[in-house]
Amino acid sequence: MLKSRIQQGFAQSQALHHFPADTFPSVHPVDWLHSHFAVGGWSPLQRLGNMLTAHMTQIAPHSGFTWHPHRGLEIYTWVLEGTIHHEDTTGGKGDIRAGELQRMFSGEWIEHQELNQTDQPVRVIQIWFVADPTYIELPPHYEQVDQSDLPTYRSDTATTYHLIGAESPVESHVDARIAATVVAPGGTTPFEPPAADEDLFLYVTDGQGWLRNADDEAALGQYDVILARHDAPAATFTAGSTPLHFLSFYLPRFLSE
C-alpha cells in the first residue's frame, strides 16, 4: 500500500476532526467545469493510502471529458444529480443517473469519455484508487450498478447504501469500505467509527446538519470533511431542514495517534 500524504500539521493527533468545505480547494479551470478536491490535487489531504482522490465534479450541459486514457487505476463514480454518459474502449457504455454507481478498472490501459449530453448540470463524486499490484494485469473492465441493487440499511430516519464491501455486488480490487448515507430532515443516525485497523474519511455531499457528541457540536455543510480514528467518541449525525447526505470511506489507517 502507498504511504499517505497529508500536509504536515494538518490533521493533529486527535480522534475526531471536522473541517469546513473551504479548507479544501475548489477549481474552475474551464467554463463548463467546477470541482471541489477533498482528497488529491491541491488538497492538504494529498493522498490517503492508495486513494489518490475523492472530489466533486460538476459538468455544465452539453460538455464533458472527451476520449482520454487511464492506466493503473480503479475509478468509482457516484452520481449526485443529473445523468452522465460513459463510453470506453472495452465496449462499456451507459448513462449513469443519480443514485447509480460506476466502477471502471483501467488495468494497464483504457480510454474513455464522460459527457453531459443533457440540458441540466451533472454533479458526481469521483474516487480514484491506485490499482492493487495483485490485479494490475487483469484486463480493463467496466461495471454499473443501480442504487436498488446495493445492500441497504434503513432506520426510521436514515438510509445507508453500501457501495463497496458489506456484501455489495460491486466487484472491488481495493482495500476499502465505502457507504452513502441519507438522513431525513430533522432525523438522526449514529456515527459509525472505523474498525481498529481503519481510519474514516467522511465527505458531506449535500444538505446541512450537525455532528454531536457529549462534549461538542459541529455544524455541517456541503463538502465538509470529517476524519476519525477507531477511538473517536460516540456521536450522532442530525439533519437540518433538508436531507443530509454523506459518503463514508473506511480505509487502512492513515491518521497518527
Side-chain angles (χ1 to χ4, degrees), residues 89-150:
T89 47
T90 72
K93 184 176 181 179
D95 290 329
I96 315 162
R97 297 171 177 82
E100 295 183 339
L101 177 68
Q102 178 215 53
R103 169 183 171 271
M104 187 182 75
F105 183 79
S106 71
E108 291 287 359
W109 186 266
I110 196 171
E111 292 188 35
H112 75 140
Q113 59 178 350
E114 302 159 290
L115 305 173
N116 179 3
Q117 299 178 329
T118 75
D119 296 329
Q120 301 299 321
V122 169
R123 193 164 54 95
V124 307
I125 299 292
Q126 274 214 332
I127 307 150
W128 293 18
F129 285 90
V130 175
D132 188 307
T134 304
Y135 306 105
I136 190 63
E137 293 184 1
L138 289 176
H141 47 278
Y142 171 79
E143 186 176 9
Q144 184 174 330
V145 179
D146 187 84
Q147 189 177 72
S148 63
D149 294 324
L150 295 167

Side-chain angles (χ1 to χ4, degrees), residues 150-153 160-170 178-180 192:
L150 295 167
T152 305
Y153 172 77
T160 296
Y161 303 94
H162 295 282
L163 309 186
I164 302 175
E167 301 180 350
S168 169
V170 177
I178 303 178
E192 182 189 338

Side-chain angles (χ1 to χ4, degrees), residues 45-97:
L45 301 174
Q46 295 165 19
R47 184 174 70 217
L48 301 183
N50 282 9
M51 191 169 80
L52 295 181
T53 178
H55 64 280
M56 182 285 299
T57 291
Q58 181 169 297
I59 302 172
H62 305 289
S63 303
F65 300 94
T66 54
W67 290 100
H68 61 281
H70 289 289
R71 181 179 184 182
L73 295 176
E74 184 150 302
I75 298 174
Y76 296 87
T77 302
W78 176 246
V79 181
L80 302 174
E81 59 179 285
T83 300
I84 190 165
H85 178 75
H86 168 93
E87 292 183 60
D88 65 51
T89 47
T90 72
K93 184 176 181 179
D95 290 329
I96 315 162
R97 297 171 177 82

